Amino acid sequence: MPTRTAAERRAEARHAYDAYLAECPARQLLDRLSDKWVTLLLNALADGPLRYAELGRRVAGVSQKMLTQTLRGLERDGLVSRTVTPSVPVRVEYALTALGASLLPVVRAVKEWADGHIEEVAAAREAYDRGADAF
């Protein structure tokens, strides 16, 4: 087996994604996916396309700015599609793409885990905070 130069090893490493490395593109994707609005919006779109205002009502607490930024990011990443229907007023709908739908089981599981374990997490937080007060 021939030896490889350091440059060859670096070039090869660039093709093997490792999210533990700061410059890895997979890490950038993980940054996007770990956002709470991403998880909630993808789950909201699970049952089918929704208009912008419907998404805003469905995901309580999201500001218009964050809703717009998050939807643009999801569209850029190919997870959500945006369809404009010319009418008065213009109708804009957002839907999961096939790629976005493939992510749905993961984000759905995270949301369901959070819904199912929040009481345990709240109890752990209270216990931790009581212990931190002792110092």
Side-chain angles (χ1 to χ4, degrees), residues 2 11 28 41 47 62 64 84 90 106 112 116 123 132:
Q28 295 169 359
L41 288 171
D47 295 328
V62 66
Q64 286 187 354
V84 179
V90 173
V106 175
E112 288 172 0

Side-chain angles (χ1 to χ4, degrees), residues 3-124:
T3 32
R4 296 172 299 169
T5 66
E8 289 171 332
R9 287 192 304 274
R10 281 192 304 272
E12 188 176 291
R14 270 186 244 123
H15 295 289
Y17 297 117
D18 183 355
Y20 290 112
L21 301 174
E23 65 278 356
C24 180
R27 185 172 208 170
Q28 295 169 359
L29 182 57
L30 283 173
D31 285 343
R32 165 124 31 241
L33 298 178
S34 64
D35 182 87
K36 69 180 173 187
W37 301 123
V38 167
T39 301
L40 293 170
L41 288 171
L42 291 176
N43 276 291
L45 290 169
D47 295 328
L50 292 173
R51 295 177 71 177
Y52 181 89
E54 292 171 320
L55 278 169
R57 284 191 297 273
R58 182 88 185 264
V59 181
V62 66
S63 68
Q64 286 187 354
K65 178 182 176 184
M66 283 310 302
L67 180 56
T68 299
Q69 284 179 355
T70 305
L71 287 169
R72 284 182 183 161
L74 290 171
E75 186 179 7
R76 181 174 183 249
D77 290 341
L79 302 174
V80 168
S81 64
R82 180 178 182 265
T83 304
V84 179
T85 305
S87 60
V88 178
V90 173
R91 183 181 178 93
V92 179
E93 284 190 336
Y94 295 89
L96 292 177
T97 62
L99 185 61
S102 73
L103 180 60
L104 196 55
V106 175
V107 295
R108 182 176 281 154
V110 170
K111 180 190 171 293
E112 288 172 0
W113 185 91
D115 289 343
H117 291 84
I118 186 58
E119 291 178 11
E120 293 168 77
V121 171

